[in-house]
Amino acid sequence: MANAEQHSAVRLRGLSKHFGDVVAVDAIDLEVGAGEFFALLGPSGSGKTTTLRLIAGFELPTSGSIELAGHDISGQPPFERDVNTVFQDYALFPHMTVAANVEYGLKVKRVPKRDRARRVEEALASVRLEGYGGRKPSQLSGGQRQRVALARALVNRPSVLLLDEPLGALDRKLREDMQVELKHLQQRAGITFIFVTHDQGEALSMSDRLAVFHEGRVQQVGTPSEIYEQPANEFVAGFVGTANLLRDGTDLVTVRPERIRLAAPSNGDDGARGVVEYVQYLGAVTRYRVRTGEWSSLVVEVPNADGSAALQVGDTVDLAWSGTDRQRVGSAPA
Ligand code: ATP
């Protein structure tokens, strides 16, 4: 597509979707660049899935527009849009073989029969499922089924792939493996991925940029480090990672738990003294909640490798953090 380079892969302008009285998506503006891995992150009910379904064409907007590579597709039916969707439950046809499931997408797009077998083989190879074409979905593991769903979505070589919590049904270890694999697949294929998740760790670790949703609105768009280090508002600071929110005069500031040390403050440090309220051993780190007079409670994370003695509930402790680790909430452009 000649103009794919000049235009964003996807551009949403003033996009809204109402279901009766419910405003699921509230006048959002969003641009996703060609080849980006872009996450839509937010709690349940924040409008992520509805936004994805609007891009796919399964829902029509109440107002606003959707552009794909510079063309307004707001009124187009799903099958005319150059996008494909991978659903959380994979939506594989149980009675059809893996190869037939993948081929189905090609039939819908009227790809000639002589080209289909090769395209199916290529798609299965791209998700490391060579030789599995003859099996039924019931004869596969959860992770393999997930990859069949990916192959089926990729076989049409869409310019944009939409993924709705695609790893949600997998157990934790498999989910972590698939996160890495999905990222590699996206880089190899060079396709724009728009990925819905409510898991902030997943969004931060996988995406080039992400949009944080709350109550149908986009709260902030940025790279993972921008979102984490410079949250635009209190919601983002609280939802993305654990943040200590401190009121400093009229300013709201955050200090991340891993930036606080168990030590008396020295030059240039801020600090507090408090009493340990609870202790959570998390493997790589131990997390403490410390009640202080000045700041109410602070969450502190200390690496377990550093040899410091474990604290007990009720211990009195000094806390210190450097002035540069205080981040004013809202100082980043939203
Ligand atoms: P989840 O992570 O739980 O999927 P989400 O962020 O994807 O949440 P949406 O599914 O987009 O959120 O829902 C946004 C709001 O719109 C919710 O209040 C939801 O109840 C409502 N909603 C979504 N689809 C419909 C529908 N078909 N009819 C009525 N209300 C709907």
Side-chain angles (χ1 to χ4, degrees), residues 79-93:
F79 59 88
E80 285 180 10
R81 301 183 182 197
D82 189 16
V83 303
N84 253 325
T85 308
V86 178
F87 299 97
Q88 175 169 0
D89 61 4
Y90 317 146
L92 299 177
F93 300 114

Side-chain angles (χ1 to χ4, degrees), residues 112-259:
K113 188 160 185 173
R114 62 178 181 280
D115 295 334
R116 282 190 227 145
R118 182 180 44 83
R119 295 268 295 265
V120 168
E121 274 309 306
E122 281 171 10
L124 286 175
S126 75
V127 297
R128 300 194 293 114
L129 281 180
E130 300 98 330
Y132 284 80
R135 294 209 197 178
K136 294 279 176 63
S138 61
Q139 296 169 311
L140 300 175
S141 71
Q144 289 168 336
R145 260 178 245 159
Q146 213 288 333
R147 286 192 260 149
V148 176
L150 271 171
R152 186 177 60 182
L154 288 169
V155 75
N156 283 320
R157 301 171 187 152
S159 65
V160 176
L161 192 66
L162 306 173
L163 304 106
D164 191 1
E165 301 259 4
L167 309 180
L170 305 179
D171 67 41
R172 196 184 138 150
K173 181 69 181 71
L174 192 53
R175 194 179 167 111
E176 286 170 1
D177 291 346
M178 282 302 297
Q179 287 173 1
V180 175
E181 197 165 311
L182 207 54
K183 181 83 186 168
H184 284 155
L185 183 65
Q186 189 262 344
Q187 285 165 342
R188 279 202 308 275
I191 293 174
T192 308
F193 275 30
I194 303 181
F195 185 97
V196 162
T197 181
H198 62 262
D199 179 332
Q200 42 102 1
E202 192 161 282
L204 292 179
S205 67
M206 295 179 78
S207 58
D208 298 313
R209 290 193 308 144
L210 61 149
V212 182
F213 278 66
H214 179 49
E215 295 180 340
R217 297 208 186 92
V218 172
Q219 305 292 315
Q220 188 174 5
V221 178
T223 63
S225 69
E226 283 167 356
I227 299 278
Y228 189 77
E229 308 278 348
Q230 299 165 270
N233 58 38
E234 191 171 344
F235 175 80
V236 176
F239 188 72
V240 181
T242 308
N244 294 300
L245 283 168
L246 316 176
R247 177 85 40 206
D248 184 6
T250 55
D251 285 348
L252 194 60
V253 301
T254 65
V255 184
R256 296 289 178 180
E258 67 274 17
R259 300 297 179 108

Side-chain angles (χ1 to χ4, degrees), residues 19 22 24 42-51 59 165 196 198:
F19 296 104
V22 177
S44 184
S46 58
K48 314 176 295 287
T49 297
T50 304
T51 300
E59 305 284 357
E165 301 259 4
V196 162
H198 62 262

